[in-house]
Amino acid sequence: MSISPSETDFIIKGIDADMRLDGRGRLDYRPIYIETGLLPHASGSARVQLGDGIDVVVGIKAETHQINPTSDNQDSGLIFVDVECSPSSSQSFEGRGADSLNAELAQILERILSGPQGGLDLQKLCIIPGKACWCIYIDALVLGMGGNLVDALSYATHAALAETKLPATVIEDVGQGNMEFELDADDSKSMNLPGYENVPVIVTLSKIGSRYVADCSIMEELCADAVIYVGVNKAGKLCGVQKSASHSIDPSMLIEMLSTAQDVGLRAIKGLDSRLKTEFSSVKDLSQGGFLA
């Protein structure tokens, strides 16, 4: 998809005046819809639709994993992220056209979710140090494109992880300091994912002209000079920051963008968590003046 110089100029001038093409202000989000529990055989799942274009589904699979004796992390669990952009979401994704985007999206999610700055606490996923841990597989499918994919994927991942249940583990000392474990087959004893309450969401802010905006449309993304992805958890900690695009960001603007992302992320988590128990919740009302405003 391409954009003409006149269209770019029109978008930039609109953003300078705090009036985007669809009438939103610079930090306003489009309506967000959430549905959980879609995949009965997954440990957790969620679907997020953002505006009229973005549609993503995330499934969580939790499996026990034998810790490699040579691994540097003998007391931590593992997390793997895989993202697939469906060819039906864009003609450019036919064949292997989406491979680079899939890898980039997965890397951003995995880095912020498992980062040492305050993402998902992997040490709480250890079952027996040096022997066994939980491995969390996050599989995301992009069904519709509409700009701001990373935020939508992070909201769906946050909701799916909040719904994820792990079987209870029974640990037994078999002598000589050796420990063994087995999974309890009683579903009523299953537990929430340890540390899920600290799972961050990602706030994407794009610098366009002399301003920055949240929740870019596809047309706005084509005008962006620089983009930052900021992970924020429930405690307000920045769990990771990643920049893309070729242009630099002035340090004073970067500080302001990080502060803005922190505020937006906190409200996002509050809004998401209050609606996870309501199937296909609409947060349209909050996108205007509270949640993600």
Side-chain angles (χ1 to χ4, degrees):
M1 185 175 181
S2 60
I3 185 171
S4 69
S6 59
E7 288 174 316
T8 300
D9 183 63
F10 183 78
I11 289 173
I12 291 175
K13 287 181 177 177
I15 289 173
D16 282 341
D18 201 19
M19 181 60 69
R20 297 159 75 173
L21 291 178
D22 54 9
R24 290 182 290 147
R26 284 190 289 267
L27 299 180
D28 291 339
Y29 272 66
R30 292 165 289 181
I32 303 173
Y33 300 90
I34 306 168
E35 184 181 8
T36 58
L38 293 87
L39 308 176
H41 298 295
S43 303
S45 61
R47 178 184 185 181
V48 165
Q49 293 176 306
L50 177 56
D52 296 326
I54 291 186
D55 190 356
V56 300
V57 176
V58 170
I60 309 294
K61 186 68 175 179
E63 296 182 352
T64 57
H65 176 80
Q66 184 175 352
I67 297 176
N68 190 326
T70 62
S71 172
D72 293 333
N73 298 317
Q74 295 292 305
D75 59 351
S76 298
L78 300 171
I79 181 172
F80 294 102
V81 180
D82 182 72
V83 179
E84 180 180 350
C85 293
S86 170
S88 63
S89 64
S90 173
Q91 291 183 348
S92 63
F93 294 158
E94 294 180 357
R96 303 181 64 86
D99 285 359
S100 60
L101 179 59
N102 291 340
E104 180 183 3
L105 293 171
Q107 186 241 25
I108 292 171
L109 286 172
E110 187 170 324
R111 175 176 293 179
I112 291 180
L113 286 171
S114 60
Q117 301 91 340
L120 186 63
D121 190 346
L122 297 182
Q123 288 190 334
K124 292 183 179 180
L125 296 176
C126 183
I127 301 173
I128 301 175
K131 188 174 183 66
C133 66
W134 285 105
C135 185
I136 306 299
Y137 296 93
I138 301 174
D139 293 299
L141 178 63
V142 177
L143 299 173
M145 294 283 290
N148 199 23
L149 260 182
V150 173
D151 287 24
L153 287 168
S154 81
Y155 300 153
T157 301
H158 180 92
L161 288 172
E163 192 208 25
T164 296
K165 299 289 185 181
L166 300 181
T169 54
V170 180
I171 300 175
E172 181 181 0
D173 188 343
V174 295
Q176 297 183 344
N178 295 318
M179 309 295 289
E180 298 289 346
F181 78 95
E182 62 180 22
L183 301 181
D184 197 318
D186 187 351
D187 290 340
S188 65
K189 296 181 181 180
S190 61
M191 59 182 181
N192 291 326
L193 182 69
Y196 79 92
E197 63 276 3
N198 287 321
V199 172
V201 296
I202 300 174
V203 177
T204 303
L205 295 178
S206 303
K207 179 181 177 292
I208 300 176
S210 61
R211 306 283 187 173
Y212 60 88
V213 299
D215 187 24
C216 274
S217 65
I218 289 181
M219 294 288 284
E220 290 171 336
E221 286 183 341
L222 295 174
C223 302
D225 298 322
V227 180
I228 61 168
Y229 308 101
V230 185
V232 181
N233 67 12
K234 192 174 183 178
K237 292 183 178 179
L238 299 181
C239 303
V241 179
Q242 182 165 325
K243 176 185 173 294
S244 67
S246 58
H247 290 68
S248 62
I249 301 176
D250 184 85
S252 62
M253 176 177 280
L254 179 59
I255 292 172
E256 182 182 338
M257 292 173 75
L258 293 176
S259 177
T260 298
Q262 196 171 16
D263 181 58
V264 172
L266 281 170
R267 282 180 283 166
I269 291 176
K270 183 178 179 180
L272 286 167
D273 287 349
S274 69
R275 285 160 175 81
L276 287 178
K277 295 182 180 180
T278 304
E279 188 170 282
F280 227 100
S281 303
S282 170
V283 293
K284 182 176 181 180
D285 55 330
L286 292 178
S287 72
Q288 301 301 320
F291 171 41
L292 299 178

